[in-house]
Amino acid sequence: MSVLWISILIILGVAAFLCLFRIFRGPTIADRMVGVDIMGILFVGITAITGILYNLSFLVDIAIALALISFVGTLALAKYLERRTLDD
Amino acid sequence: MTEVTVVDVIGYIVIFVGVVFDLLGAIGLVRFPDVYNRLQSATKSVTLGTFGIMIGILIVAGFTPLGIKALICGVFLLLTAPVSAHALSRGSLRFGAKMWKGTVIDAYGKDKLGGPQIESEEGETKENKEAEDEVA
């Protein structure tokens, strides 16, 4: 069964590399922010798959924390992009 | 872990569907012409794909601590990813990122920003404005 999990991890890694291509080539700064947001969500999936591959339950805790940090970071970047201050 | 039950096979199918959605969303992030099109493709399909991965992990692992944590993570992702995508699209529209030149109508830019934020090109600008007036 570990061949199946590793092939799933390889497919998700290819998707993350496509996001990295968009981060490098994005014409505006908004494109790069979209790439960072999507790559954060993909890393949540990769961490959870690794957790079930090695049967380690604390890796899913790490996935929850990663989702929370990605959400807060994307909101802060969107506020910065809109040229507003953080207490507005 | 030598024998594979039917529940395991159902879980693997759900995880595989989620991974395919993730890959298609990432391909759309590369191929689409515009910030808003990329956000549309990537956010919706990647959110559904990662939620599918979490539900598949719940089905495979059963009601163990790993499965329950995966369910909590999936529900959290399903609640927060659309919020961040909406904030990002509103911020990029206020920032001044232009829409693709084939866009038909931009009602938010017309109301709030003093004009539609559509990328102009010679020869197609008039047609766009006529179509927009017809819709309005």
Side-chain angles (χ1 to χ4, degrees):
Chain A
M1 272 308 113
S2 89
V3 176
L4 191 142
W5 296 119
I6 289 177
S7 59
I8 284 174
L9 283 180
I10 288 173
I11 295 174
L12 286 177
V14 169
F17 265 104
L18 292 177
C19 294
L20 207 60
F21 171 79
R22 180 48 66 196
I23 293 172
F24 278 127
R25 282 286 301 276
T28 64
I29 192 169
D31 293 308
R32 300 173 207 270
M33 286 182 186
V34 174
V36 169
D37 182 23
I38 299 305
M39 208 165 74
I41 298 177
L42 283 177
F43 280 155
V44 172
I46 289 175
T47 313
I49 291 288
T50 312
I52 196 172
L53 169 62
Y54 293 111
N55 201 8
L56 294 175
S57 122
F58 67 86
L59 280 177
V60 188
D61 289 336
I62 298 176
I64 294 174
L66 198 58
L68 183 62
I69 289 174
S70 172
F71 172 59
V72 175
T74 306
L75 279 187
L77 283 178
K79 279 278 189 186
Y80 165 70
L81 194 63
E82 210 173 338
R83 290 173 187 151
R84 287 159 70 187
T85 55
L86 282 178
D87 55 351
D88 192 7
Chain B
M1 198 76 186
T2 54
E3 58 178 311
V4 178
T5 61
V6 179
V7 178
D8 284 346
V9 173
I10 293 172
Y12 296 151
I13 290 172
V14 173
I15 290 177
F16 185 71
V17 169
V19 169
V20 168
F21 266 99
D22 273 355
L23 187 63
L24 289 179
I27 290 174
L29 183 67
V30 173
R31 290 288 296 166
F32 274 143
D34 187 3
V35 182
Y36 310 101
N37 284 327
R38 282 168 197 148
L39 202 58
Q40 147 95 14
S41 153
T43 306
K44 284 179 184 172
S45 56
V46 170
T47 304
L48 181 61
T50 312
F51 183 68
I53 289 174
M54 296 303 171
I55 293 298
I57 289 176
L58 172 68
I59 293 173
V60 170
F63 286 99
T64 57
L66 198 149
I68 298 296
K69 283 177 204 170
L71 178 65
I72 291 172
C73 183
V75 171
F76 179 76
L77 210 63
L78 200 65
L79 287 178
T80 57
V83 176
S84 66
H86 178 257
L88 207 53
S89 77
R90 189 168 177 271
S92 60
L93 193 58
R94 288 285 181 92
F95 171 68
K98 297 290 183 187
M99 292 187 185
W100 182 47
K101 61 180 183 297
T103 308
V104 176
I105 186 170
D106 175 21
Y108 183 85
K110 193 176 174 184
D111 284 345
K112 296 281 178 62
L113 302 178
Q117 303 286 314
I118 298 175
E119 186 179 73
S120 64
E121 196 185 33
E122 293 83 13
E124 292 200 1
T125 313
K126 281 184 180 178
E127 292 177 5
N128 278 335
K129 282 187 178 175
E130 284 174 4
E132 193 188 349
D133 288 336
E134 282 179 7
V135 172

